Amino acid sequence: MSGFLSDLVQYRKLLLMIVVLGIGGTHLSGFQMSVINYTSPYIQKFLNETWLERYGSVLHQETLTLLWKKCLLLNDVILIIATLHTGFSRTAKSFEMILVGRFLEGICAGIHLGTHVQYAGEISPKKLRGFINVTSSVFFALGKTVARILGLRDLLGTEDRWNVLLSFSGLVALIQLLFLPFFPESPPYLLLQKGDKAGCLKAMKQLWGEGNYHTEFEDLMKEKAITKGTKIMNVLEVLREPSVYPQLITMLLLLLSLQLCGLSAITFYTSEIFQTANLQESIIPYVSLGVSVSELISVIFCSSIIDRFGRRILLCGGYLLMALILVLLETSLLLSDQFLWMRYCSVVLIFLFIIAYGIGPAGAVSSVTNEIFTLSTRASAFVIGGIVIWLGLTFTGMIFPFAVMLLGPFCFLIFIAVLIISAILIYLFLPETKGKSISEITEEFKTRQFKKKRHQAVEVNATEEKTFCTKL
């Protein structure tokens, strides 16, 4: 641990860069995801009152729901303008400003999510690559936590201040806008795309301090040799490139397992689960805040151990532990009517599930997806991954309520199955990326693909020989 702390001191300029990057990056995505839970009752009331004042009639519940779904689905290109729309919507008595603001905020959140993860991965030295990659998850969890804190009724989660809460993200966007221009482009981009060796070395020293970065520079030169003559590929080109398929399939497996692990359902419906456990209404917001704080602390802990234990252990172990906790959670929910103390077990198990998620897959997934792609394919791969993430969130958010109505507590069996299958597939097919250069990781994917083809060829030959002998 002392060695890890000394590394952090050495790379203090890089850490400052990560903070500036994070508060305007995944922090915004996490904030936008959580803040709407605290403002939705007041916004729906505002929609109804505005409609009544304009047209002299009350909105039908179906129309109100339709308007509100648009606001959710069209959830960060100019975030400050977006937050000005939401911030002054009450003054202007215009619910349309909320729709426009949330639409722009949604775009910005999607852009920030992808660019933050990619940039953080490119500016990290090899010895701290896992730690730096996990910071995107740290700031995502921080965004959700800040939203929950500010959303308390003691602060901004009131009918008089909900518009101020919605516009808070404009402040962090302004901070990033002011400070980010003082930091350099990423060393891989300068060398591989611009061909600027001097600029690459200068950026390394600016970000990492004075030192010998011969190993990192050589790794970039190897990647440049591998991708020589290859330009940055767009999404369609990546989808048509067979050599990238193993990495794409791996990324999709990781992202889908993350979306269907049960976390999104628990995050979106924490309050409902606590109500099912018969907790008092007044303490539910504070318990929900405790869940977010637990996720934040556990992801920070993950960032400190990922470069020691590797990615595969955290992923497989995390998913299996989460599956076990969900089994116990389902059992406690089924028995909560018979044994009153079981309601408290459900609350404790939700906390344990969040902690297991934070220590394991929350950070490891973002690290692996950053490490398995070359610079020429990474941006487009992240676009594909971003689409999968948001479709997964939408799918889970829309389907889970119906699954609860149809299956009750048994709905968690779906997530248990996903977790177990994901752990097995990761163990079988995901190479360890800890401490390896992109050229080494790419070669390992090729080796695994070659072994698979060779095994299939041996089986085909054996079948043909058996058929030939039978004919004889």
Side-chain angles (χ1 to χ4, degrees):
M1 182 62 71
S2 59
F4 174 72
L5 294 176
S6 63
D7 286 337
L8 295 185
V9 173
Q10 177 187 349
Y11 295 106
R12 55 187 178 277
K13 291 183 180 179
L14 176 62
L15 295 180
L16 177 61
M17 169 67 195
I18 290 299
V19 171
V20 173
L21 181 65
I23 60 174
T26 51
H27 170 271
L28 290 176
S29 300
F31 182 87
Q32 295 296 340
M33 180 182 294
S34 291
V35 71
I36 206 67
N37 295 328
Y38 293 91
T39 56
S40 58
Y42 308 120
I43 295 177
Q44 293 188 51
K45 182 179 179 182
F46 171 67
L47 291 176
N48 218 339
E49 291 174 348
T50 305
W51 194 276
L52 177 63
E53 185 176 330
R54 287 184 185 179
Y55 306 109
S57 62
V58 178
L59 270 173
H60 294 293
Q61 185 60 41
E62 294 80 4
T63 308
L64 179 61
T65 302
L66 178 61
L67 285 171
W68 184 231
K69 278 191 176 181
K70 287 181 180 178
C71 191
L72 288 174
L73 294 175
L74 300 178
N75 270 340
D76 214 56
V77 171
I78 305 174
L79 185 58
I80 297 175
I81 293 178
T83 53
L84 288 174
H85 275 75
T86 54
F88 287 100
S89 58
R90 287 188 66 204
T91 305
K93 295 185 177 181
S94 171
F95 61 80
E96 292 88 354
M97 291 178 69
I98 299 178
L99 301 180
V100 172
R102 291 298 290 174
F103 173 72
L104 295 176
E105 287 168 356
I107 293 174
C108 286
I111 294 173
H112 286 142
L113 182 64
T115 53
H116 178 185
V117 174
Q118 181 177 352
Y119 191 39
E122 291 179 4
I123 64 176
S124 58
K126 184 184 287 188
K127 65 167 68 174
L128 290 179
R129 192 173 63 197
F131 167 77
I132 298 299
N133 283 333
V134 176
T135 58
S136 61
S137 299
V138 171
F139 279 98
F140 189 80
L142 177 63
K144 292 194 288 185
T145 303
V146 170
R148 288 185 183 275
I149 292 174
L150 296 178
L152 294 173
R153 294 190 177 184
D154 299 330
L155 297 175
L156 300 178
T158 65
E159 188 172 355
D160 295 329
R161 297 190 288 269
W162 59 264
N163 55 318
V164 179
L165 176 58
L166 281 179
S167 59
F168 173 79
S169 55
L171 175 62
V172 293
L174 180 61
I175 294 173
Q176 187 184 68
L177 183 65
L178 292 175
F179 289 98
L180 193 59
F182 294 99
F183 294 94
E185 282 285 0
S186 69
Y189 175 79
L190 291 171
L191 178 64
L192 302 181
Q193 293 302 314
K194 296 295 185 181
D196 187 358
K197 293 183 180 180
C200 174
L201 291 170
K202 182 181 178 181
M204 286 181 176
K205 291 181 179 181
Q206 282 183 284
L207 293 168
W208 306 341
E210 295 295 330
N212 183 5
Y213 303 111
H214 178 74
T215 302
E216 284 83 358
F217 189 79
E218 285 299 314
D219 287 340
L220 290 177
M221 292 301 294
K222 290 178 182 178
E223 183 178 349
K224 185 176 182 180
I226 293 174
T227 59
K228 187 175 182 180
T230 303
K231 63 181 180 65
I232 296 290
M233 301 171 67
N234 60 40
V235 173
L236 291 178
E237 289 172 336
V238 168
L239 292 174
R240 293 169 183 165
E241 179 54 54
S243 64
V244 190
Y245 288 172
Q247 289 93 321
L248 279 177
I249 293 172
T250 300
M251 180 188 71
L252 293 177
L253 167 64
L254 293 174
L255 294 179
L256 287 173
S257 65
L258 203 62
Q259 294 303 310
L260 300 176
C261 69
L263 174 84
S264 297
I266 288 179
T267 300
F268 279 125
Y269 305 102
T270 298
S271 298
E272 284 80 355
I273 292 175
F274 288 158
Q275 287 171 353
T276 303
N278 296 324
L279 289 180
Q280 294 181 4
E281 189 74 28
S282 59
I283 69 170
I284 286 180
Y286 298 94
V287 180
S288 299
L289 174 60
V291 171
S292 292
V293 173
S294 299
E295 180 182 351
L296 176 60
I297 294 174
S298 59
V299 175
I300 292 174
F301 181 70
C302 173
S303 70
S304 66
I305 64 174
I306 189 169
D307 284 314
R308 180 181 301 179
F309 293 99
R311 287 58 163 161
R312 278 163 52 90
I313 291 178
L314 295 182
L315 284 170
C316 294
Y319 279 144
L320 291 176
L321 182 57
M322 290 163 67
L324 174 61
I325 293 172
L326 282 186
V327 170
L328 297 176
L329 176 61
E330 180 158 332
T331 303
S332 68
L333 291 175
L334 288 171
L335 298 177
S336 59
D337 292 335
Q338 302 178 32
F339 304 98
L340 295 180
W341 53 271
M342 278 290 185
R343 67 185 69 169
Y344 303 106
C345 291
S346 300
V347 175
V348 172
L349 288 169
I350 287 177
F351 275 88
L352 292 177
F353 181 86
I354 296 296
I355 292 171
Y357 166 82
I359 294 176
V365 167
S366 61
S367 184
V368 171
T369 53
N370 222 330
E371 294 167 335
I372 60 178
F373 293 100
T374 62
L375 186 66
S376 60
T377 60
R378 190 176 294 132
S380 294
F382 279 15
V383 171
I384 298 170
I387 294 172
V388 172
I389 288 173
W390 294 112
L391 286 178
L393 287 172
T394 304
F395 175 80
T396 306
M398 294 178 65
I399 297 300
F400 185 72
F402 298 102
V404 170
M405 287 188 293
L406 292 174
L407 302 175
F410 293 103
C411 66
F412 286 104
L413 290 176
I414 301 171
F415 303 120
I416 293 170
V418 169
L419 289 167
I420 294 175
I421 294 173
S422 298
I424 294 172
L425 292 176
I426 289 168
Y427 177 78
L428 293 175
F429 300 110
L430 177 66
E432 179 57 68
T433 59
K434 170 189 169 185
K436 296 178 181 177
S437 65
I438 183 61
S439 57
E440 293 172 330
I441 296 170
T442 302
E443 190 61 34
E444 187 159 353
F445 271 108
K446 289 181 180 178
T447 303
R448 286 171 176 258
Q449 196 175 15
F450 173 75
K451 288 181 178 178
K452 181 180 179 181
K453 289 181 178 179
R454 184 178 179 184
H455 179 70
Q456 291 173 343
V458 169
E459 288 184 343
V460 170
N461 290 336
T463 304
E464 290 177 350
E465 289 179 3
K466 186 176 180 181
T467 303
F468 178 75
C469 292
T470 303
K471 289 181 178 179
L472 290 178

